[in-house]
Amino acid sequence: MKIPNLVNGVFLLIVCVLGIVVLSPFIVSGEKTATIFSSALILTTFAAIIYASVRIDRMNRELELKIKGLNEEKKLVEELMERSLEMESSLNSLISLFIAPRDVDRAIAETLERTGQFCNSACNYLVLLGKDRHPFTINHRWDAVCGTGRKAVFENLSESNFPWLMEQIRNDTRPHLVESAALPKAATREREIMNVRAVSSMVIVPTKIDTALVGFIAIENPSFAEAGYREQLPALRILSELIGMAIQHKLFLENLSLFKNLINESSDFIFVIDPLTETIIDVNETACKELGYSREEFLRMGKGNIEHVFGGRFWEQDMREICGNRFLDIDRVIIRKDKTIAPVEMNVTFAAHENNRYVLAVARDVTERKEVEEILRRTQERMELALMGADLGMWDWNIRTNEMIFNERWAEMLDYRPADIKPNFNSWKKLIHPEDTDRVMDDIALHIKGDRPSFESEFRMQHKDTSFRWIQARGKLVEYDSSDEPLRLAGTTMDISERKQFEEELRKSNELKDLFTDIMRHDLLNPAGNIKGYSDLLMESEATPKQKLLMDGISRNNDKLIEMIETAAKFAKLESVRDIQLDILDLGAILRNCSEQFEHKLLEKQMRLEIMAEGTFYSSVNPIVEEIFANFISNAIKYSPEGTCITLEVKDCEQLWKVEVADLGEGIPDELKTQVFDRFKRVHKKGVKGTGLGLAIVKRIAEIMEGEVGVENNPAGQGSIFWVKLKKCDHCPGQSPLVLDENAGCTPGAPAKRQSLLQ
């Protein structure tokens, strides 16, 4: 029985008792009016009590219903609070994993596991976006049931397989509930993949670093409905931020590890110094290895030891005030543990971090560079001494920048100082004589193009006094760029004004000598010719034997005089010639033509001339070579006994032809063999007169054709062999091979080179 009903019954009982007490006197007295009034009052009271009882009972029932609802709501709130506390505890636990995590991968893996348990999902994993839309990278996968072997939705696929879903993720970075049955037509590809891989629904939680989307967490087949999903949104957002922080921290650690490895692998010595305590707080491995100290030894060093190692205190505030936050000390040393000294170039940086000041010192060992610099310094000194001794100026032209550097001697040649001339190519070019400029530029261009192995040119340059000096410049390309294009052309210059003046005087002297020679030859040959004519006339006229003998003597001496005049004029001409034009000629034909000139003399002395030279022997010579053969044959006839034989032979000596003329005369002593080719030097021959110029002319002709001459004993027993070596022609058509004496001693000559006639 409920308490309100009991109270109502008590009230009715009390009213009944009071009513009887009240009505009894009126009933006994017989007062009807009072009895009716009292009865009405009692009934009204009864009705009021009954109504109130019914009302209270209804209100009680309503109150009970409300209390029951409040109890249910209280229970629900308690459950929500319990789940909230559980979620908060879980999130706090997860957050604690990401506060300075030592193992980021473990923190991510544990987060995915707890998320799976919290969402009651089948599979969770982290997907990182590939670069340039490459395939996804799946990390830290967690499965509710191990060993299922089921492929995840995004496994081995790329963004192109999820066009609709990736657009949603990129446009809205909030968590997305994706249900296969609710996907639109635009997501047909996504629906097919989810169905094939048995995933009816999944939650996609985008992950960002700052504002950039780097990936997402996929929660496959969670067991909460739409309302449950809504309740989990805050937790999922926190999950997204935690994973983003973890990825960022991992990237930071990877970059930090890479940076530390690079510092340790650096060839420089790197120190971090606390200027307040004057201690080393960090050092790289290279410094430890190269200087002989361990890292612990460096970190335990006091300021005295540090100052000893570095040879000074570069970290003091005074240095910062003088040099600023960064300075370079190019001349410092570091003392190794074994007391040896390492010259270094030190870059010092003052930096602040979290209200603390530090000094970063990066020291580079420059021992090898110092050695190279010393070698270069000595080399430069020797080069300067060599240039000074040779009286040469030096120049260096950067073709790309047009910069041109000169040394002092180069400027002194023109009476300038180096500062007086702008260091560029155009300034140098302006000093060249206008008539020589084009030729010099052509010479430079030919070398740069590769048509000439070097640059060489003689030209005039303007002196400070406005006159012109003759300069000889030589140079060569010494540097090329990465594309193999010429970059630098360097060389030397020499003042050749005195030489040019001497050459000019020599040229004029030669012209005067040639004029004198021509006059002498003309003026002497005319009277000599007259003498010969008169002598011949007298010989033909009637005369006594004694007169004929005298006329014969006059004629012979006159012939000798004419020969001397011709020989002297010929030698004078040859002395003024440096180069002659060389042609491809057959030595065999020249020898045969030359021998025909001596048939008369051979008959007079009853001598024979045997030519052992059949075939063709092409050589790079000048027709004047016939003078050599004529002189050798003439001397052989003069100095050989009557009735003997002269042999003429051509031998193959690799790159040379060796032409030999052998006689059976008295021969030449060994001590005189080197003198017979000098001017006015002749071996005394009884009964033979000469000027001593013939063989000198032979030697001069051979020299200007880059040949050789000589004499040796005739192996036949007596007499001499005069020989000349001449260059072969490499491109002679139809040349016949000649094999004579394979054991003949011949020295190969130098390759033929092009000659020019000096005008």
Side-chain angles (χ1 to χ4, degrees), residues 52 82 187 200 257 275 350 376 407 421 496 530 640 658 696 723:
E82 184 179 353
S200 59
S257 176
F350 294 89
L376 290 175
N407 68 349
I421 305 174
I496 59 172
N530 292 334
S640 296
K658 184 178 181 183
W723 55 263

Side-chain angles (χ1 to χ4, degrees), residues 739-756:
V739 180
L740 293 174
D741 186 0
E742 295 182 355
N743 298 320
C746 298
T747 303
K753 65 179 181 181
R754 184 174 298 177
Q755 303 289 337
S756 61

